[in-house]
Each structure stands twice: as C-alpha cells, then as structure tokens.
Amino acid sequence: LFPMAQMTEIWFVRGPIVVSLGRIKPQTDGHIYLFAVLCGSVSLALGNRFRKHVSQAMFEAMVLGLLVSSSVLVLGAASGDPIGVTSVVVVALVLGVRYWLHRRLPVG
C-alpha cells in the first residue's frame, strides 16, 4: 500500500464503496482510513505550498526514491534481514549518485 495524495472528496466517495465491498471494516480499520485522509490532505497542502521550489526532475527523483525505498523496506529491511539492509544501502547510494550527477552535469 503506497500513500497517495488525493482530493478529500475522492476519499469520501471511495470510503462507502470499500466498506460495502468488505475491503475495510469501520470498527477495526476506520482509524487507518481517517489517518490516510488526513495525511493526503496535509500532503496536498504542502505540495501546493512548495511546488514553486521543486523542479520536475527533483519531484520525479523523490517519487522514485519513495517507491523504491518503501518497496525495499517491505521486502525485508524492516525485519533486519541482511539482504534487505544491503538493498537499502545500495538504493541510497544509487539515488545519491543520481542526484549528484544531476546537479553536476548540464541538462539538455
């Protein structure tokens, strides 16, 4: 499950649908759903505030870093598995080198 920032209205349309399909139960999963709504709204507000300061290339690198690192963490680094931890280090190095090269090399 990856966090997605969406308009609040989408969450309130999706909520009754996933409850009626039996995907979530309000008694046990309601707090998680409400937390996702809150985080989505906050991230949209922050994104709108900082969009002038973040380039398209930097945004793409940040999204790539989020997706890759969360996938690697789910695959074993969170449990302390040596291969998972090594994967996190390798991903961090690759993203760091990519960012460094992006800053040093001329675009275009």
Side-chain angles (χ1 to χ4, degrees):
L1 177 68
F2 294 106
M4 296 176 13
Q6 298 175 347
M7 294 186 308
T8 307
E9 295 85 12
I10 294 172
W11 287 97
F12 290 116
V13 169
R14 183 184 296 155
I17 294 171
V18 294
V19 168
S20 67
L21 292 174
R23 300 283 184 189
I24 65 170
K25 296 181 177 117
Q27 303 85 351
T28 57
D29 302 326
H31 67 287
I32 297 171
Y33 194 80
L34 289 176
F35 184 70
V37 170
L38 176 69
C39 288
S41 299
V42 168
S43 64
L44 277 177
L46 288 173
N48 284 333
R49 180 172 293 265
F50 292 113
R51 70 176 179 230
K52 297 173 188 168
H53 307 290
V54 178
S55 69
Q56 182 69 29
M58 178 58 70
F59 178 75
E60 291 172 3
M62 289 175 3
V63 170
L64 175 65
L66 171 72
L67 293 175
V68 170
S69 60
S70 61
S71 298
V72 168
L73 287 171
V74 166
L75 291 174
S79 64
D81 180 44
I83 294 174
V85 174
T86 304
S87 299
V88 170
V89 171
V90 169
V91 165
L93 287 173
V94 168
L95 291 175
V97 168
R98 182 172 185 223
Y99 175 74
W100 181 75
L101 287 174
H102 175 74
R103 302 282 294 183
R104 304 237 339 144
L105 297 176
V107 178

